[in-house]
Each structure stands twice: as structure tokens, then as C-alpha cells.
Amino acid sequence: MSASSYVSSALIVMSGMLLSGCFSSGQSDYTQQAKRASLSDLANKSTSKKVAAVEMSQQQRSAALAGIYQQLLTLEPDPEVRTHVEYRLAQINTESFEAQSYADLGDELTDPSQADSQVLAQLSQNDAALQQLIEQYQQLLQRYPQRAENEHIQYQLAKALDLQGKLDASLAQVESLLRQYPQTEYLAELNFRRGEIYYNLQNYSAAIQAYKQVLTASNNQKYQLNSLYMLGWSEFKLNRLANADNAFLQVFEALVASQQNNPDIARLTADNFAFEKLGSRAQNLAIDTQRVLSISLSQQLQSQSLVTLVKDNQSLPYIDLYQHVLFANLATFLLDKKLDYDAELTYQAYIDFAPNHIWAARFSLDLLDLYQRQGKFAAMHKLKNDYVNQYGLNSAFWLNASTAHQGELLPNLLSFSDEHSRRLYAEAQTQKGNTRISAFAQAATALNTYLQLAQLPQAKPLLSKDIIHDQYLFADANFEAEQYQAALDSYYSIAYSSTPAEASTALSQIQQQSAYATTVTIRELITKDSQRSSSDLTPLLTKRNQLDKQFINQYPQDERALQLASNAAQYSFDNQDFGELAYFTDFVLQAHGIAPLTASSSAAQTAIPLSDSARKQVQFVSQLYANSLYQQAQYVQAEDGYVLALQYTDSGSSAWTEMRNLLASSIYFQAQAVKQTEPQLAVSQLLRVAQVVPESKYAMNAELDAANLLLEQQRWQEAVDVLKPFQSQHPNHEFSAAIPAKLAQSYEALAQWDLAAEQLLIIVANEQPGALKREAQYTAAEYYLKAGDRGNALTTFRHYAKTYPQPFDVAQEVRFKMSEFYRQSGEANKQYYWFRQILSFDRQQLQSDANAIQARQVELASIAAFALGKAEQRSFAAIKLNAPLQKSLKSKQDAMKKAIGYYQQVLDFQLAKYVPHATYNLAEMYRQLASDMMNSQRPSDLDELALEEYEILLEELAYPFEEKAIDIHISNTQRAWEDIIDQWIDQSFLRLAEMSPALYQKSELTHEVIDAIH
């Protein structure tokens, strides 16, 4: 153990850890002896007797008491008393030793370094006395090993051995004492002594455990700070740097806490805190602790480790007060070691860790100095920009900063933001395309930051230039960045803000240029927002008109005012503000020597020679004037207005064509205005359009409108007289497509059916497939019928029947009409073809959509099936049964099957009008077949017996057919019982009477039954 450490330890141990004034009494039986006071009682007893005041020092008092107790021992008192005396004597000798050792050091120990050397010298002189004490302690412990007072004796022994420099022996006593008395009142001191010894023995792990026990012991205030400090050193020696760092933080916390009773220290904040402001002893310890902490951090990840350390210890009460000091010390330490880059990282680490702290701003300046010394200009620019962003007007820091902090930062904020904005503006001027736009946006943001700072009241004394130039740069930067609203606001503020009368010419020029810039910027803003709805654009358009007029009024002699007036005339026209339009139009016309326009004089004016540019301006505003009349529905005046505007318009220009069309439109709308009240006049006006402006697109419209108006008035022939020439002259015009329908309507009204049919077929030829085309085809066929043109009607219906199977009902009617055409012409086979078509499509419809078949279609199918059945029945009847029978019978049966098939369809349709007749005919075919078989030709090569047998055979063959006929007739007659009255039912009754007279030839009964039924 070094001399310095030894003395320091001795001072710490001896400063306030003396034995108490007496020891407790020993055995309980002794303490309970009646009423005789013990030595302990005497030692502690105070007396109320007045004694003469004696001036004695502590050393004198101890020497006197020692003599008294030594005399008591020579009297050989009771063993218990003797024991108390010996222990008391040891205590007195200890006090005497301490008093002697420190007799000359009481008030002189002001300087700790001097005190250490003085104590060491004094203790060396008293070594013999110290050895005598040690022996006395050892004898007591040996003679009385179980005495309670031994805790204090062993404590004194350990301390004495330590003073002798016998560390191992002292440590053994300390360890023994702690084992025997784990709750000893000297727990903190003893563990601190252990820690010191272990540390000096380089047993740092044991030292750490000892120091930790000091920190957990009660009444450890005298040793806590040093234990924390030595704990950190012990961890540092073991290279457990993170643990060491945490211990050193605890030292700082303890140092700050120890100074809280000092009002000056207690009032310190993080803004102005420094360990140098603490007491002298705390300063020294803090300085040494900061040094070793910086060393520790430098051996780790430097600033990263410090950030982690501080973050992990944010719960410490005072860390916010001094954490910036740790970063500053580390940076200084690294700079001393020529580790500039690592110092930069340290400053930056704090800035990142606590960006909204005043020390972050201060460290930013330190970091800026570092960059400047190293010539890192790009890093300087970035840091200055970050500084403005982090601490400027819109930052969280500024909003919460004190006036003093704002005043501290403002000069740098102004300087940095001004420099940054001008640099960005200059760089943006060199860029192209989207990069240029983005660069100017950044420049505008930077300029805005500077202007906000420069416009603070407290910034005025700091400025060295007029900010109007920066305001103009800000407006220009926003314009180039296409941030037009911001640019507009800035230009306007410059242009129309009040200025002193003595304003410089340069300032006036900036204002005039800004005034014109507002008119340019508002247009860019409107263009940018052109996708918005017209209602959303209204405020912008109003603002544009206001700015134009403001510039014209403010600077009427500026040549740009004339162009703005022309534009304003257009805007006034767009807004239908015709009063403003007149104002701006007059401004332009008068500037070119032309009399103002009026509704009454416009047509009478004659064009005067003008330059090309002036002529264009005059033409433009005069055309707008004519358009305004047009929009106000003053079509008569508008016609005259366009005549005037055309005087200043080149005949080959698009404006000429447009105005010619508007002139035509004016005449057209004159007609529209009177078509309800004076239709004849309206027609004449409409036809005048083509006379005045024949090339106008309105001319054809007007002709068609005239025709439509004639159609509405049912002036059919006049309408035809307009439509037919138009159709002939413009066969491919889009309007011509509607003319056939109009002509068809007119011809129909004039009962010119064949002409109407021709127009309808034109529609059919040109129309796309659909309902209109189909209906036109059908109607045309009907019209041909009305005109008596049977050939064209037949052709047209045939085309319809083959083209349009749907709608089903109309298609079936057309097929029936075709059958009627051929019935009338006597072409039975063609008639039967269409009957078969009717039945075929009926079957198809039944399969696809039976609900589409209505009563009329069922009737048409019944007519067709019945007619075809009768035709086949006639063929059946015409076939004669000749020998050989089987050949002719087959032909007859085939015809009969066809007829039955058609009649069966009639029965399936179930129309009462046709079912009885079809049923009767079916029965008759079976009856006729039986009759024809019986009357068939007999073979000529049979004898009489064979012939008789052949006839019996014929009867056998004919009988089933006859029976079948009877059954069918009976089924037909059954309808009479269902209250169905039909001549063919009566015919079945008559036929049954013939075929089965026994059952059916009872006329009276039958009539009675029928009468009863009815």
C-alpha cells in the first residue's frame, strides 16, 4: 500500500469512528447485584454537584483517567470489575493515542494533501504507543474471547494494524470481525477498509464485493462516495468498462446530491452546470472521475458507448443536469489525443441524442469549428442547414426556448439561413428540367426561413441589408419552383405595400416588376389548377382580373398594360361581366385611336389602317364585343357587330371563319326567336342563312330546321321541296340520314304510298340491323299494298319473312300474308310452302319459348295444318285401289298418314273452330279407306270360291278401319255433351246413324236429349 493511500485510508477511518464513551456491562448476574454501582455506571454517571472548573485537554483527561484505572487494577478487585477496568483502560489508552496523534493537526487540516503528510509524520512518532495498544487489544481478546465488548476491541485492533501498514493482519481481523458480528455498527467502515486493502492487493473482484457491501450498509454516508469512486476504479482495473462507467455516473450523482444544501449549486441548471462550480473537494473528485470515464469510453465505442450509458441511466435524478459535460469531456479528451474525427462523432452523438437541448446547439457550433479547421466545407454547409432546421422559428426548440436562448441562437440562425438560401438559389439557376424545379423549391424554403427570422423584431439590429431584395428572390424562387401561390403572395406584398416617399428608384423598379409578376404568376396558378372545376377556379379568375386591372391603373403607360387590357377583356367576357368588357375594350380601342364601341354605332364604323399587332388587338376586342352581344341574345345587334369585327379580320384566318359562322348563327337565332310566334318569318330567316353565309356549317342546319318547322306546321309539300334538294346535294352528309324518315312522313301525309315506301326502303338499306330497320321493311310492304303495287309488296314481304324470324307474331302474320298472295294467284304449291313454314316456325317457337305463342298464332297454325291436311286428304281420296291391292293400298295409306299428321296438329292446337272439322275428316278417311277397300278391284284370276274367300278377307281388312271411323266419330259427338255446337259434330251424328243405325238412328230420342241439354 502506498504512503498516500495509507494516509488517506487512515484519515477516512479515523475521521469520526472513535469508541463510545463506555462499554456495556458484562454478565447478567453481576448487573443484577443490589444497588452497588458498577464502573460502567460510574463512568457514565453524571453528577449534580458543583465542582471547580478545571481546564483540561482531551489528552490530559485521558492520561488522568488512565492513571486512575491503572491504580484500580493494582487493588486486585473482583474479576468482573477487573475485566471492566481493563476494557475501560484500553478505551482510555485509545483515546489518549488518538488525541496525541492529532494534537497538532486540528485546525490545520485545510489542505487534504498537506493533511496526509502531516498525519503520516505524526503517526510515525507514535509507533511505540500504537504497538502497545495493539498488544493490549490482543491480550484482551485472548483473555476474554467471549466478551461482548470484543467487537469494539477487535475493530480497534484492525484499525491499529492498518495504521502500522500490516494489511494482511488488519484484513484478517476485519474478516473475523465481520464473521462474528455480521450486523456490526462498523459494517460500512469495515467493508470500506476491506475494499481498500483488496484494491491495494490488486484483488479487484474482492474489492468490488466489499465496496458494494458498503453501499448497501446502513449509516454509510461517510464512505458512500469513496466506495462508488473506488468501485468504478476496481471495475475499470478488471476491464469491465461498462460497469465502471455506471459506477462513475453514481459518483457524479452523489457529488451533485451532496451539494444540494448549497443554494448556489441547487440553482444550477443544465444550461450552465459545470462540476467546477461545486465545492473544492467535489471538484477534484469530479475532475478525476471525468478523466477516468473519458479514458474508459475511449477504450470502448467512444460516443456510442456514452450514448448507451446515458440512455440506460436516464432514471438517475441528476443526470439531465450534467450529461452534456460528459460529452464535452469526451470530445476534449479525444481532441487532446488528436482524434478529431472521433471528437466530431461525439459532438454529433449528443446533437442526435438531445437535439432540442441548448447544449446541442452549442455543440453544433463546436462541431462547426472542427469542420472549419479541417476544411470540410460540405459538412459545414449541412451542419449550418441542420442548425437552422433544428433551432429555427418553426422548430420545437424555438417554440419552447427562453428569450435568452432565442437571443443566443438568433445571430447564427440569421447568418446560416442567409448563406444557405443564397447558395441554394445560385445552384438552382444552373439546373434544368425537374431538377431545376426541385432546386428552386429548396431555395424558396431556405429563403422563407431566413425572411421569417429577419422579420423578427429582435433581428432588426442584427441586419446589415434591406430584406426587400431577399423577398424578391423568395418570390422568384417560388415562381421557378412552380409554387405559384407563395410566389403570388410575395410579389403582391412587394408591389403594393406602402413605401416611403423617398424610396429609391431601384426600390420602385422592384415594385413595378413585382406588380407585373403578379399578373404572370396568377396565370401560371390558373394553368396549374386547370383540372379543377370551374366553380373551384372562380376565386383565382377573379384574382387575376383584379391584378390585371390594378396593374393597368397603377402603370397605364407601361406597354404591357395594353396586352393585359386585351387579356382582361377576354376574362371579362368569360365571366360575362360585360361592363368590364366595355371598359377594357374602350381602353384598347382608344389607345389605337378608335372610337369606343356602342350598340348603336358599331356597325357604322369603318376600319382604319393599323399595324399588324395593333390590328390584332383591335380585332380581338371588337370580336369579343360582338360575342358579348351574341351571348346576351341581342342577335340583330350581334349580326351588325360581327360585320364590324370582320373589317379587322383577315379573310383567310380561322377567326374569319369563326366569325362568319357566328354571323350565320346570329341570323339563325333570329329565326329561333320568332318561330313560335311567326313561323313563316322564321322559315324565311332560316333560309336566309344559306344566302348570307353559304359556306357556314349553320347553313345546312338552318335548311333542315326550316324543313322541320314546315313539317311541324304540316306544310308537307313545302317541306318536301326543301328536303329533296338537300338530299340530292348532300347525299353523304350526316344530316341526310334523317331525311328519308322525314320524306316518308311527308309522303304518307300526302297519301303518296309508293314514294313513302321507297324512302322506307332507303332507311332499310342504310340502317344497321335492329328494330327500326325491321319495322321500316314491314311498313314499306304495307305501303306498297296500299299503293296497289302487289309485286313490290310481295317482294318486300318475302324479304321480311326470310330476314326476321322474330318477333314471332309478326313473322307468322307475314308468312300467312305470303300464303294469301299465292292463294289469290292460285299457286297452291307456293301457298302450301308458306303453310309448312308457319308450322315449322311454330314448332321451333314451342321449343324455345312457348309463352310467346298467343291465340292468333295458334289460329294461323291451325289454318295452315288444316289446309295441308285437306290437301293430303284429297290426294288420299284420289288414289284408287286396284289389283294388286298391296301396291295401291300402300300409296293410299301413305297419303292418309300425311293427312292424319296435319289433322293431328290441328287437334293438338285445340281450337274449337277447327277441331270438330278435323276430327270428322279423320273419321271419314278411315271410313273411306274401309269403303274403298271393299270396292277395290278384284283379281281376275280367281274362281268363285277363291273370290268369296278374298272378299271375306277384304271384310276382315276393312272392318278395323270402319270401327276406327266409328270411334273417331263417337269422340267427335262427345263434344256435344260438353256444350259445343258445330256442324261437323252434327255430321258425325249423321254418319254414325248410317254406319251404326241400331245405336244412332233414333232421331226423336236424340233430339229430345239435345233439347234437354240446351
Side-chain angles (χ1 to χ4, degrees):
M1 183 177 188
S2 66
S4 176
S5 299
Y6 171 78
V7 175
S8 297
S9 299
L11 270 176
I12 294 170
V13 173
M14 298 298 291
S15 61
M17 301 193 73
L18 301 177
L19 287 170
S20 58
C22 66
F23 296 92
S24 63
S25 59
Q27 301 165 357
S28 60
D29 56 350
Y30 178 80
T31 60
Q32 294 176 2
Q33 291 180 7
K35 298 182 180 179
R36 187 176 65 79
S38 67
L39 289 176
S40 296
D41 295 334
L42 292 174
N44 289 315
K45 183 177 180 181
S46 62
T47 177
S48 60
K49 294 181 180 181
K50 299 291 185 178
V51 295
V54 179
E55 293 293 335
M56 297 181 68
S57 66
Q58 177 65 34
Q59 183 177 2
Q60 291 171 336
R61 186 179 300 108
S62 297
L65 289 174
I68 294 171
Y69 278 94
Q70 193 65 44
Q71 292 173 9
L72 287 176
L73 289 176
T74 61
L75 298 176
E76 297 185 355
D78 180 271
E80 183 62 28
V81 174
R82 182 179 181 84
T83 301
H84 277 285
V85 170
E86 289 180 356
Y87 274 90
R88 177 59 179 155
L89 183 58
Q91 178 184 3
I92 291 171
N93 290 334
T94 301
E95 293 172 352
S96 177
F97 174 80
E98 290 172 347
Q100 181 181 355
S101 298
Y102 291 92
D104 300 325
L105 300 177
D107 297 329
E108 298 176 5
L109 298 178
T110 55
D111 186 345
S113 60
Q114 294 179 4
D116 287 351
S117 60
Q118 292 176 21
V119 169
L120 183 59
Q122 189 64 46
L123 293 179
S124 299
Q125 295 173 8
N126 298 330
D127 187 61
L130 179 60
Q131 180 59 36
Q132 184 180 357
L133 270 177
I134 290 172
E135 292 173 357
Q136 185 178 9
Y137 296 150
Q138 290 172 338
Q139 290 173 8
L140 286 173
L141 291 173
Q142 185 175 5
R143 289 166 55 193
Y144 308 108
Q146 301 302 321
R147 296 290 294 186
E149 295 90 336
N150 287 351
E151 174 185 351
H152 308 286
I153 294 299
Q154 195 167 6
Y155 160 73
Q156 294 290 359
L157 176 59
K159 184 167 64 171
L161 291 170
D162 188 20
L163 289 174
Q164 280 189 329
K166 298 177 180 179
L167 299 183
D168 292 338
S170 178
L171 179 61
Q173 291 300 322
V174 170
E175 297 286 11
S176 173
L177 179 58
L178 290 175
R179 284 195 299 274
Q180 294 182 56
Y181 307 100
Q183 302 301 322
T184 177
E185 61 181 295
Y186 308 115
L187 184 63
E189 179 188 354
L190 292 173
N191 276 299
F192 181 78
R193 191 179 302 282
R194 288 174 64 230
E196 290 291 278
I197 295 171
Y198 282 131
Y199 184 89
N200 284 285
L201 294 174
Q202 298 185 5
N203 187 350
Y204 301 117
S205 296
I208 290 170
Q209 296 305 316
Y211 289 132
K212 286 183 176 179
Q213 290 186 42
V214 173
L215 298 177
T216 59
S218 59
N219 300 320
N220 65 353
Q221 293 83 357
K222 296 178 182 179
Y223 308 100
Q224 182 184 32
L225 184 60
N226 289 76
S227 294
L228 288 170
Y229 177 72
M230 295 307 298
L231 174 62
W233 265 107
S234 300
E235 296 282 8
F236 180 79
K237 291 292 186 178
L238 289 174
N239 203 35
R240 300 195 318 213
L241 302 181
N243 292 344
D245 297 344
N246 283 299
F248 293 139
L249 282 189
Q250 295 293 338
V251 173
F252 295 139
E253 289 290 311
L255 284 173
V256 176
S258 69
Q259 301 290 310
Q260 293 306 299
N261 291 330
N262 184 338
D264 293 336
I265 303 302
R267 282 193 294 270
L268 291 177
T269 66
D271 293 355
N272 56 8
F273 178 85
F275 285 112
E276 289 75 6
K277 296 182 180 181
L278 302 179
S280 59
R281 181 173 180 275
Q283 284 185 38
N284 294 332
L285 185 58
I287 291 170
D288 191 58
T289 304
Q290 292 175 75
R291 182 184 62 81
V292 69
L293 177 60
S294 296
I295 295 172
S296 172
L297 293 169
S298 70
Q299 296 178 11
Q300 301 176 64
L301 297 178
Q302 300 175 348
S303 58
Q304 294 183 41
S305 298
L306 178 53
V307 170
T308 301
L309 175 65
V310 172
K311 283 184 176 180
D312 291 346
N313 288 277
Q314 283 299 295
S315 60
L316 295 178
Y318 301 107
I319 191 168
D320 287 340
L321 196 64
Y322 60 82
Q323 60 189 14
H324 67 278
V325 177
L326 308 182
F327 284 86
N329 287 335
L330 178 59
T332 301
F333 177 84
L334 294 171
L335 287 172
D336 290 343
K337 301 299 183 183
K338 307 301 182 183
L339 300 173
D340 291 357
Y341 178 71
D342 296 320
E344 293 173 12
L345 294 180
T346 301
Y347 285 130
Q348 188 62 53
Y350 183 85
I351 294 169
D352 296 338
F353 170 69
N356 290 321
H357 200 284
I358 186 62
W359 279 102
R362 293 166 180 168
F363 286 160
S364 295
L365 299 179
D366 293 333
L367 185 56
L368 188 63
D369 289 340
L370 267 177
Y371 287 155
Q372 188 170 17
R373 290 201 300 269
Q374 299 175 73
K376 295 182 177 180
F377 299 112
M380 288 175 63
H381 294 158
K382 182 180 183 305
L383 181 58
K384 289 178 180 180
N385 190 30
D386 292 343
Y387 187 96
V388 173
N389 292 334
Q390 184 63 36
Y391 309 111
L393 287 184
N394 298 321
S395 67
F397 178 88
W398 185 273
L399 295 175
N400 297 298
S402 65
T403 303
H405 285 168
Q406 291 178 352
E408 178 183 342
L409 297 181
L410 187 56
N412 288 321
L413 289 173
L414 285 168
S415 174
F416 294 168
S417 60
D418 185 26
E419 175 189 340
H420 180 62
S421 62
R422 289 183 172 275
R423 183 174 63 256
L424 288 181
Y425 189 92
E427 290 175 356
Q429 291 178 308
T430 66
Q431 303 301 319
K432 302 293 183 182
N434 290 333
T435 304
R436 178 183 177 88
I437 294 173
S438 177
F440 270 112
Q442 295 178 27
T445 300
L447 281 163
N448 183 52
T449 300
Y450 169 72
L451 289 172
Q452 286 182 333
L453 290 164
Q455 289 166 347
L456 291 174
Q458 60 268 39
K460 189 172 182 180
L462 304 173
L463 298 177
S464 59
K465 60 180 180 177
D466 192 335
I467 66 171
I468 192 170
H469 299 284
D470 297 290
Q471 289 173 327
Y472 190 79
L473 281 182
F474 173 62
D476 274 355
N478 276 304
F479 184 89
E480 295 291 343
E482 300 183 3
Q483 298 171 168
Y484 299 119
Q485 185 60 58
L488 178 61
D489 294 341
S490 299
Y491 283 134
Y492 191 87
S493 176
I494 298 170
Y496 298 110
S497 60
S498 59
T499 55
E502 65 276 8
S504 65
T505 302
L507 176 59
S508 298
Q509 289 177 347
I510 289 177
Q511 287 184 309
Q512 184 170 352
Q513 186 60 28
S514 296
Y516 183 73
T518 62
T519 67
V520 176
T521 306
I522 191 65
R523 285 165 171 79
E524 294 293 343
L525 190 58
I526 292 170
T527 302
K528 181 180 180 181
D529 292 347
S530 60
Q531 300 301 318
R532 294 162 61 182
S533 65
S534 57
S535 60
D536 291 338
L537 284 175
T538 299
L540 291 176
L541 299 176
T542 302
K543 184 68 174 178
R544 176 198 60 195
N545 299 341
Q546 171 207 329
L547 293 171
D548 287 353
K549 194 169 185 179
Q550 202 165 358
F551 183 85
I552 292 169
N553 292 336
Q554 189 89 358
Y555 306 103
Q557 301 306 316
D558 192 312
E559 63 180 10
R560 295 171 294 189
L562 195 60
Q563 183 60 48
L564 287 177
S566 299
N567 294 338
Q570 176 69 65
Y571 306 144
S572 300
F573 173 80
D574 293 340
N575 292 331
Q576 298 187 344
D577 189 347
F578 299 120
E580 287 288 285
L581 172 60
Y583 170 84
F584 293 117
T585 301
D586 287 349
F587 181 88
V588 174
L589 293 180
Q590 290 180 23
H592 293 296
I594 300 174
L597 289 169
T598 63
S600 60
S601 64
S602 60
Q605 293 193 43
T606 303
I608 62 175
L610 296 172
S611 67
D612 287 344
S613 61
R615 189 166 180 265
K616 288 179 181 178
Q617 287 182 341
V618 171
Q619 176 263 317
F620 179 72
V621 297
S622 59
Q623 180 182 351
L624 285 179
Y625 173 75
N627 288 345
S628 72
L629 292 171
Y630 181 91
Q631 287 197 355
Q632 295 174 77
Q634 299 177 18
Y635 299 115
V636 176
Q637 296 89 338
E639 181 180 356
D640 295 337
Y642 286 120
V643 171
L644 172 65
L646 285 167
Q647 295 181 57
Y648 296 95
T649 307
D650 295 334
S651 59
S653 66
S654 59
W656 170 273
T657 303
E658 179 185 356
M659 280 193 288
R660 289 281 292 173
N661 280 325
L662 287 169
L663 176 61
S665 180
S666 298
I667 302 172
Y668 176 83
F669 280 113
Q670 290 177 50
Q672 294 295 317
V674 297
K675 72 176 183 179
Q676 298 298 329
T677 57
E678 300 178 77
Q680 187 63 40
L681 175 61
V683 170
S684 65
Q685 291 280 41
L686 288 169
L687 296 177
R688 189 167 69 89
V689 174
Q691 298 168 5
V692 176
V693 194
E695 81 280 7
S696 170
K697 61 181 180 181
Y698 292 101
M700 287 184 284
N701 284 358
E703 285 186 307
L704 283 181
D705 284 354
N708 290 335
L709 194 55
L710 291 169
L711 290 174
E712 290 176 8
Q713 298 173 57
Q714 298 185 1
R715 294 157 63 182
W716 307 112
Q717 190 57 54
E718 293 178 67
V720 169
D721 293 342
V722 174
L723 290 170
K724 284 296 289 182
F726 188 97
Q727 187 181 43
S728 175
Q729 294 169 14
H730 311 289
N732 298 321
H733 194 277
E734 57 178 333
F735 292 159
S736 296
I739 290 179
K742 298 178 186 296
L743 287 173
Q745 179 188 15
S746 299
Y747 288 135
E748 179 183 359
L750 295 170
Q752 297 176 358
W753 304 112
D754 53 343
L755 296 178
E758 289 176 3
Q759 295 300 320
L760 288 172
L761 289 181
I762 292 175
I763 295 174
V764 170
N766 297 323
E767 187 67 26
Q768 294 296 320
L772 178 60
K773 186 181 183 80
R774 174 176 50 77
E775 291 173 4
Q777 179 81 26
Y778 185 87
T779 305
E782 290 286 341
Y783 284 176
Y784 277 128
L785 277 182
K786 287 186 177 184
D789 188 345
R790 185 179 177 278
N792 278 327
L794 176 62
T795 301
T796 308
F797 273 128
R798 181 188 296 113
H799 181 77
Y800 184 98
K802 291 183 177 297
T803 307
Y804 303 108
Q806 297 293 336
F808 176 68
D809 56 343
V810 178
Q812 290 291 73
E813 291 288 353
V814 171
R815 296 181 187 106
F816 184 71
K817 286 180 182 291
M818 293 299 298
S819 71
E820 286 295 290
F821 277 123
Y822 291 120
R823 181 186 64 78
Q824 293 171 8
S825 65
E827 298 175 82
N829 287 336
K830 293 182 179 180
Q831 180 188 17
Y832 295 155
Y833 167 81
W834 288 106
F835 281 152
R836 286 191 290 273
Q837 288 291 298
I838 290 172
L839 292 178
S840 174
F841 280 100
D842 185 83
R843 285 192 297 271
Q844 294 177 24
Q845 189 64 38
L846 184 65
Q847 293 173 0
S848 61
D849 183 10
N851 294 327
I853 303 175
Q854 304 299 319
R856 173 60 179 168
Q857 289 81 61
V858 174
E859 181 174 11
L860 293 179
S862 297
I863 290 172
F866 189 82
L868 290 171
K870 286 187 67 177
E872 293 297 337
Q873 186 176 3
R874 286 193 294 272
S875 298
F876 161 79
I879 297 174
K880 302 299 182 181
L881 294 180
N882 297 318
L885 180 63
Q886 63 271 22
K887 182 176 179 181
S888 57
L889 179 60
K890 184 178 184 307
S891 297
K892 195 174 187 70
Q893 285 180 323
D894 289 342
M896 182 179 178
K897 285 179 182 179
K898 292 179 181 179
I900 290 172
Y902 288 121
Y903 283 136
Q904 185 60 53
Q905 291 184 57
V906 175
L907 298 180
D908 291 340
F909 294 140
Q910 298 182 1
L911 280 185
K913 183 177 179 180
Y914 301 100
V915 168
H917 195 176
T919 305
Y920 177 83
N921 286 356
L922 277 172
E924 282 300 288
M925 279 197 297
Y926 280 105
R927 186 193 64 77
Q928 185 174 356
L929 179 58
S931 174
D932 287 351
M933 289 180 67
M934 292 304 299
N935 295 320
S936 63
Q937 183 180 18
R938 303 305 194 260
S940 58
D941 54 350
L942 298 178
D943 60 14
E944 183 177 353
L945 290 177
L947 183 58
E948 181 179 358
E949 184 176 347
Y950 179 79
E951 290 189 359
I952 293 172
L953 176 60
L954 286 178
E955 288 179 1
E956 290 293 331
L957 290 174
Y959 178 75
F961 296 112
E962 187 174 350
E963 288 296 311
K964 183 68 173 177
I966 292 172
D967 289 342
I968 294 173
H969 277 305
I970 290 173
S971 69
N972 205 20
T973 60
Q974 293 297 321
R975 293 183 174 88
W977 304 104
E978 298 172 4
D979 202 19
I980 298 175
I981 304 303
D982 187 270
Q983 62 172 323
W984 300 105
I985 295 175
D986 291 342
Q987 289 296 322
S988 288
F989 274 113
L990 293 176
R991 186 63 72 189
L992 286 172
E994 293 176 6
M995 297 177 68
S996 184
L999 293 176
Y1000 291 96
Q1001 199 172 23
K1002 300 177 181 179
S1003 56
E1004 294 181 0
L1005 179 59
T1006 302
H1007 288 300
E1008 289 176 1
V1009 171
I1010 294 174
D1011 291 340
I1013 292 173
H1014 293 284

